[in-house]
Amino acid sequence: MKDPIKFKIDTQDRLINRFEQFNKEYAPILLDKIFEYIDKFARSKGFLVLEKNSGFLLGEFAKKLVDDFKNSTYISDIGSLLGNFDELETANKLLLSVINDNFDFDALDFSKEKKLIINELTESLLRPESFRVNIANDVRKILARNILTGAPIKDLKDELKRSVISSETGGGILGRYTTQITTDAVSQYSGIINDKLAKEVDLNAIGYLGSIIANSRVQCVRWKDQKGAVLLRKEKIAKLGYLPDEVKWANANGQGYGKKGSTSYILLTEANFMQYRGGYGCRHDAIPFHFDDKYYTRYKKLKDQYDKETLKNIESQKK
């Protein structure tokens, strides 16, 4: 019998790590393409030189990166990773069954939701326009800045190397972009499963699982430390959270939901809470259960074990 907590955490990490590993392998290829194109720019005694056609070459540079991306194996290789969401569904159902043991999870079909998540991931990761906006343009800006200042070519290449592949910048441009998208997609799909179960059975409470660390957001700290890691949907009980109030609080005071007014801004609601929780990149889990003495006791035991396991997992990744 698999340990539901360890299986869930390991499955999430394994799925995210597969994307991270792929990016580590692809980033040097991307860097080589960038260096190859830099040779077309004017130079003198090891320095870049600004000329009349420099602006044209910068535009061509971004276009060339996108064309190379379209013709690379990146699209097919990363596309093959998207089929791993079946594992996540299995792990999520197993964890939910610990405190919702009287429900037949096989009765719930998530094929439509899974297809939508994978389609959104595909759109974000594999569409050439997304690559241009999030990666090619950033590289172009670095190149333009160095041309304008007449920077030594060695300095330019060092900066590009740091920006594209260095672990000092969180995995480089490609890694940061892909990791955030995949992390949010993994957490959102778990939230979709949890939300569907809550609606199907009319569960009246949400448990907030996962440890608190130094850079945890204020709303996550509040829900874990001040609200007993429980948000109730329909009643107010001292020392526990009341979901409608907590959603309002997070929208007014929370962090990590994006810039208000932008298309990427998340307006947290009672309906989408389990999907978006503490915002972009949040690794906490929000799971539904029926709030009474029996299931609350069972939930607290699960929460303590889950929090310890996530903290242990975070510490092991630092080594």
Side-chain angles (χ1 to χ4, degrees):
M1 177 73 177
K2 294 176 180 176
D3 178 342
I5 296 173
K6 196 169 188 319
F7 182 51
K8 170 66 188 299
I9 294 171
D10 288 349
T11 299
Q12 285 189 158
D13 287 347
R14 187 166 57 251
L15 183 53
I16 293 169
N17 288 341
R18 283 171 183 162
F19 283 89
E20 290 178 344
Q21 182 57 40
F22 175 78
N23 284 315
K24 287 178 182 177
E25 295 168 0
Y26 185 76
I29 298 173
L30 175 64
L31 188 64
D32 284 344
K33 293 287 185 183
I34 294 169
F35 284 174
E36 181 183 310
Y37 200 75
I38 285 174
D39 291 337
K40 296 186 179 183
F41 287 82
R43 61 186 67 199
S44 175
K45 298 179 181 179
F47 290 80
L48 292 172
V49 177
L50 180 62
E51 291 191 332
K52 287 182 178 180
N53 68 339
S54 293
F56 172 77
L57 287 174
L58 281 169
E60 284 293 298
F61 168 77
K63 182 177 181 300
K64 181 74 166 54
L65 272 188
V66 174
D67 288 341
D68 285 342
F69 170 76
K70 286 192 290 187
N71 296 325
S72 70
T73 61
Y74 181 97
I75 292 178
S76 59
D77 289 343
I78 208 168
S80 67
L81 296 176
L82 298 176
N84 293 300
F85 276 77
D86 288 342
E87 300 173 19
L88 184 61
E89 181 179 328
T90 301
N92 227 71
K93 288 179 177 178
L94 186 61
L95 181 68
L96 285 168
S97 68
V98 174
I99 52 173
N100 296 286
D101 56 345
N102 59 346
F103 184 77
D104 178 16
F105 288 94
D106 291 334
L108 287 181
D109 177 25
F110 297 100
S111 58
K112 292 179 181 178
E113 290 85 356
K114 190 188 311 174
K115 182 178 180 181
L116 178 61
I117 284 288
I118 290 176
N119 285 346
E120 287 299 302
L121 255 179
T122 302
E123 178 75 6
S124 297
L125 294 177
L126 305 183
R127 193 164 63 97
E129 178 63 16
S130 296
F131 182 87
R132 182 186 67 79
V133 170
N134 293 285
I135 297 168
N137 279 353
D138 276 1
V139 177
R140 183 187 60 78
K141 288 175 184 176
I142 292 171
L143 183 53
R145 183 172 67 249
N146 279 268
I147 290 174
L148 285 170
T149 58
I153 294 168
K154 181 184 180 301
D155 290 356
L156 167 62
K157 289 188 173 182
D158 287 344
E159 181 177 359
L160 285 168
K161 187 174 181 180
R162 287 195 304 272
S163 298
V164 174
I165 65 175
S166 175
S167 59
E168 294 177 7
T169 56
I173 293 172
L174 187 67
R176 289 197 308 276
Y177 171 63
T178 305
T179 298
Q180 178 181 314
I181 290 173
T182 51
T183 299
D184 289 336
V186 165
S187 297
Q188 188 179 0
Y189 186 52
S190 291
I192 287 171
I193 294 173
N194 297 344
D195 187 56
K196 194 165 185 174
L197 172 65
K199 290 174 180 174
E200 187 77 16
V201 192
D202 194 25
L203 299 174
N204 62 356
I206 297 172
Y208 208 66
L209 302 178
S211 53
I212 292 297
I213 56 177
N215 61 350
S216 290
R217 291 169 180 152
V218 291
Q219 64 270 31
C220 296
V221 174
R222 174 184 172 90
W223 297 330
K224 292 291 295 180
D225 292 350
Q226 299 177 31
K227 301 299 175 180
V230 174
L231 304 179
L232 301 174
R233 290 177 174 276
K234 300 176 181 178
E235 60 179 327
K236 294 186 179 183
I237 295 179
K239 297 183 180 180
L240 300 181
Y242 177 53
L243 184 62
D245 288 348
E246 294 309 311
V247 164
K248 291 176 185 176
W249 192 94
N251 284 327
N253 306 287
Q255 307 158 321
Y257 297 110
K259 184 179 179 180
K260 290 185 178 180
S262 69
T263 55
S264 60
Y265 175 69
I266 297 171
L267 178 66
L268 197 64
T269 67
E270 295 175 52
N272 68 22
F273 181 87
M274 282 187 278
Q275 293 182 43
Y276 295 119
R277 308 163 318 286
Y280 288 111
C282 176
R283 297 291 289 268
H284 288 103
D285 237 325
I287 65 169
F289 69 99
H290 178 69
F291 186 80
D292 62 14
D293 290 342
K294 173 186 172 182
Y295 287 103
Y296 182 43
T297 300
R298 190 177 294 184
Y299 163 71
K300 286 192 291 184
K301 182 179 178 181
L302 172 70
K303 176 185 71 67
D304 291 343
Q305 293 173 337
Y306 193 99
D307 292 358
K308 287 178 184 176
E309 192 64 37
T310 55
L311 188 59
K312 186 168 68 174
N313 188 52
I314 291 168
E315 291 300 324
S316 68
Q317 291 178 3
K318 292 179 181 178
K319 296 178 181 178

